[in-house]
Amino acid sequence: MKVERIALSGFRNYDQECVEFSGATNVIKGENGQGKTNLLEAVYMLTCGRSFRTRLDRELVGFGFSNAEILADTESHGREQTIKIVMTPGQRKQITVNAVKKSASELSGGLNSVLFCPDDLDLVKEGASVRRRLMDTAIGQLRPNYAKLAAEYSRLYDQKSAILRDWREKPSLLETLDDFSARMCAVSARLIRYRAAFVKRLAAAAGPIHREFSGGADELELQYLTVSTVRDPFSPEREIFYDVCEHQEAHRRAEIESGQCLTGAHKDDIAISINGRSARTFGSQGQKRTAALSIKLAEREIFLQETGEYPVLLLDDVLSELDAKRQDYVLNRIGAGQTLITCCEDDGIAKRTGARVLTISGGRLI
């Protein structure tokens, strides 16, 4: 999989620019604030139709422009495709693949990418939402139906939250509460099965990587966590549904009194442990970073296993956050496939990887 070239118009700080990439490693360098991450953001959008930095498309439109446009030639699964994304404030995003209209979820299964940015180094020590985002982003690319389910769940969650927030002013809202709860339980059951299967594969891939990374000193374990009444997240969907409903029944009164949704897939997490102890609580800073790196590299391996091709690897200024040992390990693991690395200075990365170097300044390719 690779992005051969990408043209940006009115996107962030890019007025009009076209960039061609090597099919191997590309180093994108430049001072802070020049547009390196914006370029990676545009590439990322080709895989899922959304930004990894904002939920608001209007923030992607450059100052003085009425819309932002991304146009790219890509190759995946032996097929060449031209992807076009147009974002106009106040209008629905327009996406086409080879001139055929697509939704954002329909981009899944085409070009895949794995993003690793500085925030991902906090994968272990931050809250559960970060780890849910990891699951949603990866599974959404591998399983197009998952992205639709996750979007439906998000809508249901927002609607039920509004009911729980406003019912005291309008008591009739409670008449619809149980309907929303039942549908959330049904969608949760499907999401739980997807997530449990993914975390099982992620654990199998991350363990050996982490063992090699730590020189055999540490054992990394990952465990999928969901609502307590789910006895087996790998059981049939109907059984999981009943288990989630049991949790919902027990917490219905508490939800109404607290005004919060207490049951469902939005409570899921991944427990990360090193040598049998919680990495978040007991891991050193170095151990946490090594675990985060191992998990992201494992995600890349899952894409390879699933599709037979490496996904496009996007490394957004993470090497500067790592010591020399971890830098070397990441660069040595890149191997085949297309990689885009942003950094302020080359720092010898090009020589170590044989990379093509692209310099960005003021939203222009120098």
Side-chain angles (χ1 to χ4, degrees):
M1 297 185 183
K2 62 181 178 180
V3 179
E4 295 175 342
R5 64 188 60 84
I6 188 168
L8 304 178
S9 175
F11 183 85
R12 295 284 194 181
N13 70 328
Y14 286 86
D15 291 347
Q16 195 87 30
E17 189 58 270
C18 182
V19 181
E20 294 190 6
F21 298 113
S22 159
T25 303
N26 301 263
V27 172
I28 303 166
K29 71 172 188 174
E31 298 297 323
N32 290 330
Q34 300 306 303
K36 305 185 300 296
T37 298
N38 295 344
L39 182 57
L40 253 62
E41 182 180 29
V43 172
Y44 180 84
M45 289 191 68
L46 301 173
T47 68
C48 59
R50 58 180 174 79
S51 166
F52 63 87
R53 301 161 76 193
T54 179
R55 295 177 61 184
L56 304 175
D57 287 343
R58 66 174 180 267
E59 294 183 2
L60 305 176
V61 180
F63 181 75
F65 284 82
S66 60
N67 59 38
E69 181 179 302
I70 303 170
L71 182 65
D73 293 326
T74 69
E75 182 184 327
S76 63
H77 310 295
R79 302 192 308 270
E80 293 186 351
Q81 295 183 322
T82 298
I83 302 173
K84 183 178 180 180
I85 304 175
V86 179
M87 292 148 288
T88 305
Q91 298 182 22
R92 183 182 293 274
K93 184 162 40 199
Q94 299 296 312
I95 301 174
T96 60
V97 178
N98 292 339
V100 178
K101 287 185 178 181
K102 299 286 186 179
S103 65
S105 62
E106 288 175 322
L107 285 177
S108 303
L111 182 74
N112 298 137
S113 70
V114 170
L115 168 73
F116 194 20
C117 61
D119 287 347
D120 290 318
L121 290 170
D122 295 330
L123 187 65
V124 177
K125 68 180 184 180
E126 291 298 320
S129 63
V130 177
R131 293 177 286 280
R132 283 195 298 272
R133 186 165 62 246
L134 167 75
M135 292 188 281
D136 289 346
T137 300
I139 305 171
Q141 291 188 62
L142 293 170
R143 301 285 184 267
N145 286 337
Y146 180 90
K148 296 177 183 177
L149 276 175
E152 180 183 0
Y153 188 87
S154 180
R155 288 193 298 271
L156 290 167
Y157 176 84
D158 289 343
Q159 290 165 332
K160 182 177 175 180
S161 295
I163 292 171
L164 291 170
R165 183 185 64 240
D166 300 335
W167 73 266
R168 287 181 175 84
E169 296 178 6
K170 193 175 181 182
S172 61
L173 288 173
L174 288 180
E175 296 174 6
T176 62
L177 180 63
D178 290 341
D179 291 336
F180 280 104
S181 294
R183 184 57 189 162
M184 282 182 70
C185 289
V187 178
S188 289
R190 300 185 67 184
L191 292 176
I192 286 168
R193 294 191 82 237
Y194 274 117
R195 288 174 175 177
F198 174 74
V199 174
K200 183 178 180 180
R201 295 181 68 179
L202 191 67
I209 292 174
H210 189 271
R211 196 176 303 120
E212 178 186 349
F213 204 166
S214 64
D218 294 324
E219 289 291 330
L220 176 68
E221 294 181 354
L222 308 179
Q223 180 185 4
Y224 172 64
L225 303 177
T226 188
V227 293
S228 59
T229 52
V230 174
R231 289 160 288 186
D232 179 6
F234 297 98
S235 61
E237 185 180 316
R238 179 176 292 272
E239 292 183 20
I240 299 173
F241 169 69
Y242 289 140
D243 288 345
V244 179
C245 285
E246 180 184 338
H247 193 276
Q248 174 61 57
E249 294 259 341
H251 290 77
R252 185 181 187 277
R253 175 51 53 188
E255 285 189 331
I256 293 173
E257 292 176 353
S258 67
Q260 297 179 339
C261 297
L262 303 177
T263 294
H266 63 283
K267 308 296 286 185
D268 288 0
D269 198 359
I270 302 175
I272 304 172
S273 60
I274 298 174
N275 299 330
R277 307 175 75 193
S278 167
R280 184 180 184 186
T281 305
F282 300 104
S284 67
Q285 182 70 7
Q287 285 177 317
K288 291 175 181 177
R289 290 200 162 192
T290 300
L293 284 166
S294 299
I295 290 169
K296 295 302 291 188
L297 291 172
E299 182 186 345
R300 184 172 182 251
E301 293 301 314
I302 291 174
F303 277 95
L304 174 62
Q305 296 166 10
E306 186 77 18
T307 67
E309 300 181 42
Y310 276 112
V312 178
L313 180 61
L314 307 175
L315 302 178
D316 184 24
D317 201 28
V318 291
L319 295 181
S320 63
E321 301 282 334
L322 304 175
D323 57 35
K325 176 185 174 183
R326 290 181 175 83
Q327 279 191 17
D328 287 340
Y329 186 82
V330 173
L331 293 175
N332 290 334
R333 290 283 312 197
I334 286 174
Q338 187 180 55
T339 302
L340 278 58
I341 305 173
T342 66
C343 57
C344 288
E345 297 295 336
D346 182 356
D347 290 334
I349 297 173
K351 287 185 178 180
R352 291 148 74 186
T353 61
R356 180 182 182 187
V357 178
L358 304 166
T359 303
I360 301 294
S361 178
R364 302 288 299 177
L365 176 65
I366 304 301

